[in-house]
Amino acid sequence: MLSRLEGMAARKTRSERVDQMRGFAALAVVVCHLGVSAYDGAPNLGGSPWPWLGFALGFGYLGVPLFFVISGFCIHLPQARMLALAEPVGPPLSWQRFFVRRFWRLYPPYIAALVFALVLLTLVNGGPPVPWVAVASQAALVQTLHPATFDGVNPPAWSLAVEAQLYLAYPIVFWLIARHGALRALTVVLGVTLAYRLGLNFEPFPARFGGIAWEFFLARWFEWVLGAVVAEWAVGRVRLPEAVFQPWLGPLVLGLGVLLEWHRWHYGLYTILEPIYGLAFALLLGAALRRERDGDGWVVGRYFAGIGLYSYSLYLLHRPIQLATEPLARHLATWPFVVEHGIPSSLLIMAATTPIVLWTSRLFYRYCEAPSVARSQHAWHGAASRELAASPRR
């Protein structure tokens, strides 16, 4: 009997549902930061209109936990297939090849985007936007370890630093899954994540380190491993009740997370908030994959899937472009005509950057990210060939 993804792979090499969710997550983050600029970074004089809209746009930050879940799924899926073909023992995994491929896939575009942001914001601001130590920390993907460097040149890159930490922890996750099964591994990680997040409620760190402690990988580990468990289910190594991936359950759990937003700092509820969002998105991912297997269509369709192809480039470039536009928005907000008529100029200008962001990201994908993807595949196959040549012949 074919596994869920084996049947899908017979039709196409990529999961359109995963691309759609990746594209939706990237656009959600773009919209969130659009609202941050329009309502906080460059607001209209006298306050931006429609404060409820600023509040609603802020929920775009949920694209981040969705990205973590998708990342865990995509990173573990090849290994899950490998384990499915080699049960019960399983073949060894070359961590050298894994990390070499991750490096060439993600790091060159990351550095190119960092240079783009530095040049663009230096030209706009008349000088470097942050100290050079912050630039160096972001280049080394360690900016989340100190509050002075957390935002850096490109503030959303903090999540990519957390991703790097999650990759370094992946051998532990793989060992737990291969030895003890995906559900037991998830239970262990859930225990570690909740213990760490619960401990943060007792403020064990100096006040200035309290915020960044919530963005250490242990605080987000459960979300990432949830994606790995969905990958195990997708290849048939984990059996779950049919009700788990019913299309109504994910939105229900997501609604619970949104409801908790009004009480997030009461009774330590923030401890469970992001794990709840991770669970909601894992349920939605499983439901989407099942619908793809069944051949059902999805109304948001090809547009989000197309954005999903260059979502990494979009994530890397959108915020520097928005930040470079903020001075213009602040200037126009002072015009007498704008003030007299209450025109939401900041909101309109920041919204107008979105087509520019999308166009620039597509170009960046074509000329920077896509070659890096090809280089990562070449590095993977080259390392595999060298390992095969070096192995003793039987």
Side-chain angles (χ1 to χ4, degrees):
M1 182 178 178
L2 288 176
S3 71
R4 297 165 183 83
L5 286 186
E6 286 173 332
M8 183 181 70
R11 299 190 301 272
K12 50 191 172 183
T13 58
R14 293 184 65 98
S15 168
E16 185 175 352
R17 289 293 187 267
V18 174
D19 282 338
Q20 288 171 344
M21 296 184 73
R22 189 185 283 116
F24 180 82
L27 278 180
V29 174
V30 171
V31 168
C32 173
H33 290 143
L34 180 159
V36 170
S37 287
Y39 284 85
D40 293 324
N44 280 68
L45 296 180
S48 296
W50 314 316
W52 59 267
L53 179 58
F55 177 76
L57 294 178
F59 276 98
Y61 89 93
L62 294 180
V64 174
L66 177 52
F67 267 129
F68 283 144
V69 171
I70 293 174
S71 173
F73 172 82
C74 293
I75 293 300
H76 184 63
L77 183 59
Q79 282 65 248
R81 285 175 174 150
M82 177 188 71
L83 291 172
L85 294 173
E87 288 184 327
V89 178
L93 173 62
S94 171
W95 292 112
Q96 178 184 358
R97 277 191 285 155
F98 172 81
F99 285 111
V100 165
R101 186 175 188 181
R102 287 292 90 199
F103 175 86
W104 286 111
R105 169 65 181 88
L106 300 175
Y107 195 67
Y110 176 81
I111 290 298
L114 181 63
V115 172
F116 170 84
L118 183 61
V119 172
L120 178 63
L121 296 177
T122 297
L123 292 174
V124 170
N125 298 320
V130 296
W132 285 106
V133 65
V135 177
S137 298
Q138 193 164 74
L141 287 167
V142 296
Q143 71 269 32
T144 60
L145 302 181
H146 196 281
T149 60
F150 188 90
D151 287 336
V153 181
N154 191 359
W158 70 264
S159 66
L160 302 177
V162 176
E163 279 278 347
Q165 298 167 14
L166 291 167
Y167 292 161
L168 292 175
Y170 178 51
I172 300 174
V173 175
F174 179 81
W175 181 84
L176 286 171
I177 291 175
R179 295 282 181 167
H180 303 288
L183 296 182
R184 289 183 180 178
L186 182 65
T187 301
V188 170
V189 171
L190 174 60
V192 172
T193 296
L194 289 182
Y196 177 80
R197 294 177 69 91
L198 183 62
L200 293 181
N201 284 280
F202 296 96
E203 301 180 350
F205 302 106
R208 62 179 183 147
F209 288 93
I212 65 172
W214 286 98
E215 303 305 345
F216 188 59
F217 86 96
L218 290 177
R220 316 305 298 260
W221 208 9
F222 177 67
E223 300 159 62
W224 198 88
V225 177
L226 276 168
V229 172
V230 175
E232 289 280 307
W233 167 82
V235 302
R237 278 177 40 85
V238 170
R239 292 188 178 183
L240 297 172
E242 286 292 320
V244 169
F245 293 128
Q246 291 297 318
W248 55 266
L249 186 56
L252 181 64
V253 178
L254 183 61
L256 174 62
V258 172
L259 182 63
L260 289 177
E261 290 281 354
W262 277 262
H263 309 281
R264 59 191 300 174
W265 297 118
H266 295 170
Y267 319 112
L269 287 179
Y270 190 69
T271 300
I272 62 172
L273 182 59
E274 285 168 337
I276 286 177
Y277 282 137
L279 178 60
F281 290 130
L283 294 172
L284 288 169
L285 175 60
L289 290 172
R290 194 174 71 167
R291 286 173 62 87
E292 186 168 44
R293 177 197 62 184
D294 296 338
D296 294 335
W298 195 31
V299 66
V300 291
R302 297 184 182 277
Y303 180 73
F304 284 120
I307 294 177
L309 291 175
Y310 62 92
S311 58
Y312 182 52
S313 295
L314 179 59
Y315 194 84
L316 288 173
L317 296 188
H318 76 278
R319 193 58 181 150
I321 295 174
Q322 290 174 341
L323 291 174
T325 313
E326 283 187 3
L328 174 62
R330 281 192 290 266
H331 176 67
L332 292 184
T334 64
W335 286 11
F337 181 82
V338 170
V339 175
E340 180 182 354
H341 293 85
I343 299 173
S345 61
S346 294
L347 184 62
L348 294 175
I349 290 173
M350 299 315 303
T353 65
T354 303
I356 299 173
V357 164
L358 292 172
W359 177 77
T360 306
S361 299
R362 291 185 66 177
L363 288 178
F364 186 85
Y365 171 81
R366 179 176 179 180
Y367 294 107
C368 184
E369 185 183 349
S372 190
V373 172
R375 180 67 180 87
S376 72
Q377 294 171 347
H378 176 75
W380 172 269
H381 295 304
S385 300
R386 288 191 296 272
E387 290 178 6
L388 182 62
S391 63
R393 298 184 181 276
R394 298 181 178 179

